[in-house]
Amino acid sequence: MSMADLAPSLPADTARTGGLARLAVAATVALLFAGGGFLLHAEQQGQVIALLAAFVAVFALAEKVPVGRRIVGLCRAHPGTVNLTAALSILAIAAALREEHYTLLMMATVALFATAAAGLTLQMAFAGVPNFAGAAFFAVGAYVAALLGHTGIPHLLVLLIAGLAAAVLGLVLLLPVLRTRGHYAALVTIAFGLLLRAFLEVNDVLGGPQGMKVKSFSLFGLDFSRVTEIGPYDVSFYLPYALASCALFALAFFLVRRLETSFVGVALDAVRSDEVAASVFGLSIARWKATAFLLGNAMIGVAGALYGMMNGFVNPNSANFGDSLIMLSILVLGGLGNLWGAVVAAVVILVIPEKLQAIQEFRLIIFALLVIAILRFRPSGLMPRAVRDFSALVKGGSR
Amino acid sequence: MSPLLACSGLTMRFGGLTALDALDISVGKGETIGLVGPNGSGKTTFFNVLTGLYKPSAGAVQLEAQDLFARSAQEIGRAGVARTFQRSRLMLDQTVFDNIALGALGRLDLSLLSALVLRGRFRRQLSELVERATALTRRFNPQIAANLFKPAGSFTMIDRRRIEICRALVGAPRLLLLDEPSAGMTHEETRALMDDLLAFREEMPDLAIVLVEHEMDVIRRISDRCIVLNFGKKIFEGPFDALIADREVQTAYLGGAQ
């Protein structure tokens, strides 16, 4: 009797996981990334507009056409194939565009903002803790990189310390955030962001309004800013940054996905969905909100540190409210809780306005219309989060 | 024999309003209590106090040897008190399994380490829990068991109620509080749900149940003993037949015109 309601869901034929299904998934993902690569590289307005049209068409088809829905279902059933193809595609794009400074800079920026969005995902999409100060924690990471970058501490450790620093600074906010809810908690974080920026502006040790220089990232003695060739190939010094940023995103992706597909993920979802039910069944609301908030800020801080090192400077303006809103927009536009969605949204929000430079002020109108259109037709984001399905883990498990 | 749950002088005041007035209620192991009373008589408040959502103003609450007076909801939940809610509190966009898992989370390994790195332990617990949830839901409706990883929102009202009961049972509680399980259901559905519950009851003879219900038929079928509340006071305690005949209960329900 209840079966009628259950019908339109994931494809039931996941048992028939032939190589064909995986191939279709891999082809779809590769095609999407190829489109993204072309968009990153495109310079003529015509190309950009055509790619945008293709992009809109793809997302419309995925929803409206049976084949599209089927492919989406297959992609959800084969996350391993999706992730592997995505990683290879990113490497291929990086290799193809190895000499393009600006394109690689954008690629790294997308990856680092997507990493920050992964932190926000833990906080907002899982635990339901609002954070309107993402850029502030991002800037904290960059300032730590500025302070410690030239001290001889290995830079990987500096990234880690930057994450810790952001988490520790988040502690200041923890009590008011735990004691308030919804809009009020959001206001607390907005106030924190404004406060931090004002503090950075008047603080001479941290360079005041001018900010500070940040030493470029070096990994095991390899200074990224001096890389000009790899083997026989001339490359941009942004190439190692783009790769490192993507690696950082991969790590954040791995951590978030692991948490999501564990009892911790169930606990966080319960705390967000229904605090009363969660506490009646023995969960500590404060513990889980605090865990998500601190871990999330740590991720944002690490991403901010690498971003600062790539740019070579950081100033109080990095902590502005607008950038915090950009991070949130990435989260919402992509679909709360879906990290691939965050990547696509980061491309939409960070790359498209740059690509439309030539039409000057009209670009913001086109950009705004695009965002409104996306949320009009896909109110839960470009790629809504899928329900957590543990069945794959149980079948392949230790039974 | 000492009772499983013993409340004495339990009082809950909201400002000037006394919602629970010096209640003495005890529930024995394996006993089923029907808790009735007009709207606003304090039945749900009693549940909310018992489960730690409200802090009682005075009195004593004892679950066997454990003092539960004014403890946090978390502590009480872990002590083995589980409940359902009058208005369904399922997470509708999450799977049936996620909803049921919530009922067991208090006893599972929730460390970040085993979530992130040492997944073996997590996977073992997961497999066990999936088996338990499957067995439990199958008893109520095999369709639920077959669709454990579908969103709870895609099920009918009666199935959602069943899922809520399974969520309360999965942690093997000692005391189960059911808040109007028949609310919003037809007579047939209510009867089916009660059949399931009675069948389940036989297999867990030690589980004590307190049931808030307006449906007198349900109370008659399922309860060993009835307690009637009115304005936060206990006005009756005894078997169902005596309840029906009781003058004061009739007055409380139907008004005291004559």
Side-chain angles (χ1 to χ4, degrees):
Chain A
M1 59 204 151
S2 60
M3 288 328 306
D5 315 53
L6 297 171
S9 192
L10 290 175
D13 59 348
T14 43
R16 266 197 299 144
T17 52
L20 206 62
R22 279 167 205 271
L23 203 66
V25 170
T28 309
V29 174
L31 214 62
L32 281 176
F33 271 92
F38 278 120
L39 181 66
L40 275 174
H41 191 54
E43 269 155 26
Q44 289 162 347
Q45 296 302 301
Q47 290 173 344
V48 175
I49 300 287
L51 279 165
L52 280 186
F55 168 83
V56 170
V58 163
F59 276 92
L61 287 179
E63 181 123 311
K64 302 265 185 281
V65 180
V67 181
R69 283 199 297 268
R70 210 178 134 76
I71 290 178
V72 170
L74 283 176
C75 286
R76 293 204 153 147
H78 298 280
T81 312
V82 170
N83 297 345
L84 183 68
T85 314
L88 292 176
S89 305
I90 288 169
L91 286 178
I93 292 173
L97 304 176
R98 61 188 175 270
E99 287 181 66
E100 311 283 331
H101 294 304
Y102 189 60
T103 310
L104 289 167
L105 169 66
M106 267 194 301
M107 193 170 155
T109 306
V110 165
L112 291 175
F113 271 73
T115 307
L120 288 174
T121 297
L122 275 183
Q123 300 173 332
M124 297 184 61
F126 293 177
V129 181
N131 184 357
F132 281 69
F137 291 103
F138 206 64
V140 168
Y143 270 98
V144 170
L147 288 170
L148 299 181
H150 54 80
T151 54
I153 301 174
H155 281 179
L156 273 184
L157 201 60
V158 171
L159 291 187
L160 210 64
I161 297 172
L164 272 178
V168 168
L169 207 66
L171 278 176
V172 177
L173 263 183
L174 199 55
L175 263 184
V177 163
L178 289 181
R179 294 181 68 123
T180 50
R181 215 154 279 164
H183 306 314
Y184 299 93
L187 269 179
V188 169
T189 61
I190 291 175
F192 172 81
L194 297 177
L195 204 71
L196 185 85
R197 188 177 168 193
F199 168 78
L200 292 171
E201 263 171 359
V202 298
N203 192 310
D204 287 335
V205 182
L206 296 174
Q210 263 71 49
M212 298 173 85
K213 278 196 185 164
V214 189
K215 205 160 179 301
S216 65
F217 187 68
S218 62
L219 188 64
F220 308 123
L222 175 74
D223 186 337
F224 275 19
S225 67
R226 288 173 200 279
V227 173
T228 52
E229 52 191 25
I230 294 176
Y233 300 108
D234 287 339
V235 300
S236 157
F237 68 94
Y238 280 121
L239 179 67
Y241 277 114
L243 293 176
S245 307
C246 290
L248 196 61
F249 173 71
L251 180 67
F253 185 93
F254 172 79
L255 291 177
V256 169
R257 283 292 295 162
R258 275 256 155 136
L259 285 179
E260 190 186 358
T261 55
S262 75
F263 290 135
V264 172
V266 180
L268 290 173
D269 280 332
V271 164
R272 182 194 71 251
S273 319
D274 193 335
E275 289 191 15
V276 170
S279 53
V280 161
F281 288 105
L283 293 181
S284 158
I285 306 299
R287 172 186 167 191
W288 291 112
K289 282 190 171 180
T291 304
F293 194 63
L294 297 183
L295 268 180
N297 286 336
M299 278 186 196
I300 299 171
V302 173
L306 190 57
Y307 188 69
M309 287 167 158
M310 179 172 74
N311 281 336
F313 71 94
V314 56
N315 62 27
N317 204 32
S318 331
N320 75 57
F321 183 56
D323 281 5
S324 296
L325 285 186
I326 283 184
M327 288 179 190
L328 282 181
S329 319
I330 289 174
L331 204 66
V332 173
L333 201 64
L336 274 171
N338 185 334
L339 290 188
W340 282 129
V343 173
V344 176
V347 170
V348 169
I349 286 182
L350 299 170
V351 176
I352 288 175
E354 298 296 321
K355 289 293 166 187
L356 296 173
Q357 290 274 7
I359 45 173
Q360 303 287 331
E361 52 269 29
F362 290 110
R363 74 197 170 103
L364 288 180
I365 297 178
I366 292 189
F367 170 69
L369 286 176
L370 183 67
V371 170
I372 292 172
I374 290 173
L375 290 179
R376 160 66 183 78
F377 292 105
R378 297 183 79 98
S380 41
L382 284 169
M383 301 163 78
R385 178 182 173 195
V387 291
R388 182 190 298 99
D389 187 348
F390 277 126
S391 52
L393 277 180
V394 180
K395 278 179 210 139
S398 52
R399 280 210 280 177
Chain B
M1 195 181 77
S2 71
L4 174 74
L5 174 81
C7 305
S8 57
L10 192 61
T11 302
M12 179 75 223
R13 284 185 214 96
F14 296 104
L17 178 84
T18 306
L20 299 180
D21 196 350
L23 279 186
D24 297 325
I25 289 180
S26 67
V27 185
K29 239 187 198 173
E31 198 179 16
T32 303
I33 305 279
L35 189 60
V36 294
N39 286 330
S41 61
K43 305 179 299 285
T44 297
T45 304
F46 176 62
F47 277 11
N48 286 344
V49 166
L50 264 193
T51 48
L53 295 180
Y54 299 154
K55 295 271 168 281
S57 319
V61 180
Q62 197 87 20
L63 190 73
E64 282 188 327
Q66 207 170 349
D67 177 20
L68 290 186
F69 180 77
R71 290 301 164 89
S72 71
Q74 289 82 21
E75 277 178 277
I76 294 171
R78 289 192 195 134
V81 180
R83 69 176 289 183
T84 65
F85 297 89
Q86 188 176 355
R87 246 193 63 227
S88 167
R89 279 189 174 274
L90 287 178
M91 305 173 282
L92 294 180
D93 12 321
Q94 283 157 55
T95 61
V96 174
F97 177 77
D98 285 3
N99 275 283
I100 293 178
L102 172 59
L105 280 187
R107 293 153 182 239
L108 293 175
D109 178 8
L110 290 176
S111 71
L112 291 181
L113 199 65
S114 58
L116 291 173
V117 197
L118 310 170
R119 300 272 281 189
R121 191 173 148 79
F122 156 67
R123 283 187 162 212
R124 267 195 308 282
Q125 290 192 340
L126 178 68
S127 298
E128 278 166 28
L129 192 58
V130 169
E131 260 169 45
R132 202 134 47 100
T134 308
L136 201 56
T137 47
R138 185 178 294 136
R139 213 186 306 259
F140 285 88
N141 180 0
Q143 290 292 5
I144 303 177
N147 292 286
L148 215 49
F149 294 102
K150 293 272 154 70
S154 59
F155 288 84
T156 56
M157 280 315 283
I158 180 168
D159 279 341
R160 292 186 197 176
R161 198 53 44 83
R162 286 172 172 142
I163 295 167
E164 259 201 297
I165 293 175
C166 290
R167 173 171 75 178
L169 287 173
V170 75
R174 293 190 278 170
L175 176 63
L176 174 66
L177 309 175
L178 297 176
D179 200 347
E180 274 202 61
S182 78
M185 296 208 292
T186 65
H187 281 291
E188 289 73 39
E189 287 174 332
T190 306
R191 190 168 307 131
L193 191 68
M194 287 308 121
D195 288 342
D196 295 340
L197 209 59
L198 282 170
F200 189 77
R201 187 108 204 56
E202 312 242 301
E203 292 170 46
M204 286 185 84
D206 278 352
L207 176 70
I209 299 178
V210 180
L211 173 85
V212 162
E213 195 46 81
H214 282 300
E215 214 43 73
M216 282 305 154
D217 207 34
V218 173
I219 294 286
R220 183 180 54 77
R221 276 191 65 196
I222 206 170
S223 53
D224 303 320
R225 185 156 56 97
C226 300
I227 292 174
V228 185
L229 297 186
N230 196 21
F231 295 112
K233 283 197 177 76
K234 182 165 78 180
I235 59 167
F236 172 87
E237 182 165 2
F240 183 81
D241 297 338
L243 181 153
I244 292 299
D246 191 272
R247 197 67 202 209
E248 196 180 354
V249 173
Q250 287 174 5
T251 314
Y253 257 100
L254 306 172
Q258 63 275 58

